[in-house]
Structure formats: structure tokens, C-alpha cells
Amino acid sequence: MSLTPEAISQQLDAWREQWPALGVLALLPEAEKAALPVLQSACRERSVTLAGAVFPALIVDDRFVSTGVWLIGFERMPNHFLIPDLGTAAVDKLAQAIKAGRPEGQPTLFLVFDSMQPNVASILHRLHQAIGNCVGYAGVNAGSETFQPMPCLFDATQLVGQGALGLFLPEVSRVAVKHAYPVSKTLMRSTSAQGNRIDRIDNRPAFEVYRDVIAAEYGIALTHENFYDYAVHFPFGLVTAVDVLVRIPVAFNADGSLFCVGEVPPNSMLRLLKAAEAGDEACVTGLAQSLGLPQAGGEPMPLLTFYCAGRRMHLGEAAEREIAHLKALTAAPLVYGALSLGEIDQLEDLSIPRFHNAALVCLSQA
């Protein structure tokens, strides 16, 4: 919807008449961030609870748009928290907020991190160790597609960076996360790595190994000059006991080290991935199956979807066709959401959270 004061007021007033305890989750595109005070002021004037985040762009059915705002209304705002500047005490701050706000049952904790937080994967791992299986996990990273620092998490009174937003969604929420990237034959080891920086692979400078594997597997002559043209199409795959997590290289240093979206632990095993081709239906087919949609005899539900910005960069115009196919397969009357800069899911039945790149995150009501 439009971010004009009139449009925002009209929508909030209509919801407030129906839901006196109204709460709103807002997805705001980066190009509209200067208009956030309009939304915050309208919510404060009506005592409407607001939480939200700034993303590179919005999803409106089969289109990516950079104007307007998605407002998701709740009859009563779910328990939630906003933590600015997680810092070195990130796990303790998150654990305290979860313990204080977690409702009864087994809710899904939907987390939104600032994409400038460099260690989301290890935060999630240590958080699970701290609180156990008391919640399920899903989530995304917000922020600027340029990966430049930008406060991107907000409520009705503040806009913060380097933090986390958490919402406890009802138990009836269905969540599915997929990337479906094909895996190459080559197996490598990150013999020296720290956070999201890979220094050496198989005891050689990481860039050299990356270059040589791309040449051997796909016949591409990678150079420092064309690195940004190819890196999004050929990410690393972090090999786990269950599957392979995507790690997209986004920068390099003169010493041959590579920086990825997401951490790569020292001595972890890596494979080179080739991003999905336009028209490949494996990802959206898997999402529809995981969501159990469409349901026979059930009323189709809107599908909240977050789509990796790196995946869109790779697929170009075909990214919108992939979303259109997802809508058709799930029979969703509306696909809505935003571009994300990292995605979160959990190992099924174990509630162990994981951090992805290049994935789609879909949420639907059962």
C-alpha cells in the first residue's frame, strides 16, 4: 500500500475498528525508508503496536517493487522484542528476551537480523545451546542490498541497527525454506577461516582455489576484474551432516581471502555450487510439498515469502517467474513479502536453527 499519511491512517483506522488491540508488522523497502516516520507517527497516535524492518525491495505477487509498504495486521500483536546493537552479548540478550516473551506451547520464533551482523550462524547455534528446543525457528536478514551499514529494524518510536527483531508466531504457522542449488563434485576444506572470511582452502589462498575449481568444473576464467560477475552464480556449499548450506562470496582481499554472506567455520568441508537455472522447478516444488499446499477442501491462504537478493541477482527476470510458479503451485491468492539478505530455518524435528543464502522462506497459516 502507499506510504502517504492518508493511506496509512485509513488502513489503521479500518483495522482498529475491527481489532481494538491491533498490532502491525511492517515490511518497508529501502527506497522508502525516509517515510518511516509517517508510519511510526500514525501508529503512536492510535496506540497501535508496531514492529518491522527495512528490506531491499518488496514482493507483490510475481513482482519486486521498491515503493509502498506491506502492513501485516494482527488482531492482537504477537509477543515480540526488538534488541538494538546485539554486540558481544548477543546470545545472552536473545536468550533473555525469548525466555521473557515466549508464550505457552511451541511457537515459531521469527527472527529478523540486521544483515551487517557478521556472525548470525554462530549466534543461532549458541542460542539453541542456551535455550534448547522451546521454540521453532525461521527468519531472515534485513538491510541494504549494497551491504552498507543502515539502521533497518524499528518499532513505533525507534529505528536501530546491528540488532534483532523477534516475533513469536502461533503454532499453526507452516514454514518452509529451500534453495535447491546443484552440488559440484569437488570437495575442499577451509583450512583457515574466521567468521565470514575464508583465508585459505586446502592450504592455498582461497581466491586461487575458487578460481581453479570454477575453471575445472565450468570452464570459466575467473579474474579479480570479473569476480562480481560470477560469484553470485557460483557460491560455496558448506557441507553439513544433513545437507549443504549456501554461502555466496561477495568480496575479496588482495591476500586472496574471500568474504561470504554467512560464516564458514575453520576446517569445514566445502563444495562449489552452481546456482539454479531459470525454469528449474525443484525449489518451488519442494516448498509447496513442505508446506502441504494446496490443501484439499481448504481455503487457500496468502503466502508470506522472503526471496534471497543474491538469488534474484543470479536469476534476473526469471526470479519473478519463479515466484509466479510458486503462487500457482500453492494456489495462494496472494504472495507477499520482501527480498532478504540471508535466511533462517531449522532442522526438522530437532529445532536446530541454521543460516542460509540463496533460499526462499515461506510462511502460511495451516
Side-chain angles (χ1 to χ4, degrees), residues 11-305:
Q11 182 63 75
L12 293 180
D13 288 341
W15 276 341
R16 273 295 300 273
E17 186 175 346
Q18 181 181 4
W19 301 327
L22 171 67
V24 171
L25 172 65
L27 312 180
L28 186 69
E30 182 179 357
E32 295 271 34
K33 63 183 179 181
L36 175 60
V38 173
L39 175 61
Q40 291 176 312
S41 177
C43 288
R44 289 196 305 271
E45 290 172 3
R46 294 162 175 79
S47 299
V48 171
T49 304
L50 173 68
V54 182
F55 295 92
L58 302 183
I59 296 171
V60 181
D61 273 334
D62 58 355
R63 295 181 298 119
F64 296 101
V65 301
S66 57
T67 59
V69 62
W70 272 122
L71 299 183
I72 303 168
F74 295 92
E75 181 176 356
R76 183 178 297 277
M77 190 69 174
N79 290 4
H80 65 286
F81 56 81
L82 176 61
I83 304 174
D85 190 18
L86 286 169
T88 57
V91 175
D92 289 339
K93 291 178 180 179
L94 285 166
Q96 291 173 11
I98 292 167
K99 290 175 182 177
R102 183 177 71 88
E104 294 295 324
Q106 184 77 12
T108 294
L109 174 61
F110 189 82
L111 287 165
V112 184
F113 285 94
D114 183 340
S115 62
M116 297 309 297
Q117 185 71 37
N119 58 337
V120 172
S122 61
I123 287 174
L124 292 171
H125 176 71
R126 289 185 286 124
L127 179 62
H128 180 261
Q129 290 179 322
I131 67 173
N133 296 337
C134 65
V135 296
Y137 293 90
V140 292
N141 279 2
S144 173
E145 197 168 6
T146 66
F147 284 98
Q148 296 301 308
M150 180 187 76
C152 59
L153 306 173
F154 57 84
D155 59 18
T157 62
Q158 57 185 332
L159 172 64
V160 305
Q162 295 285 348
L165 169 67
L167 291 95
F168 296 93
L169 301 180
E171 294 180 68
V172 295
S173 297
R174 293 172 180 252
V175 181
V177 181
K178 301 286 182 186
H179 65 76
Y181 273 27
V183 180
S184 75
K185 297 177 293 184
T186 303
L187 188 63
M188 306 164 278
R189 183 182 295 275
S190 62
T191 44
S192 178
Q194 181 175 354
N196 65 335
R197 187 186 73 230
I198 311 174
D199 296 307
R200 301 182 74 81
I201 298 174
D202 293 340
N203 291 310
R204 295 172 55 206
F207 183 90
E208 292 183 7
V209 177
Y210 183 60
R211 176 197 63 199
D212 293 349
V213 174
I214 285 180
E217 295 265 356
Y218 301 107
I220 292 171
L222 185 71
T223 66
H224 288 92
E225 289 70 29
N226 65 15
F227 172 83
Y228 296 101
D229 295 328
Y230 287 108
V232 71
H233 307 296
F234 298 96
F236 287 108
L238 177 61
V239 180
T240 74
V242 178
D243 57 10
V244 176
L245 307 179
V246 179
R247 295 289 183 263
I248 299 176
V250 292
F252 61 87
N253 279 337
D255 62 5
S257 57
L258 294 174
F259 290 85
C260 298
V261 181
E263 295 155 276
V264 177
N267 293 310
S268 56
M269 302 307 296
L270 304 171
R271 291 191 184 275
L272 188 68
L273 307 184
K274 187 176 187 298
E277 298 289 347
D280 188 333
E281 299 179 358
C283 182
V284 293
T285 299
L287 286 168
Q289 291 173 344
S290 295
L291 291 166
L293 302 173
Q295 300 177 50
E299 181 181 352
M301 300 295 292
L303 191 62
L304 177 58
T305 300

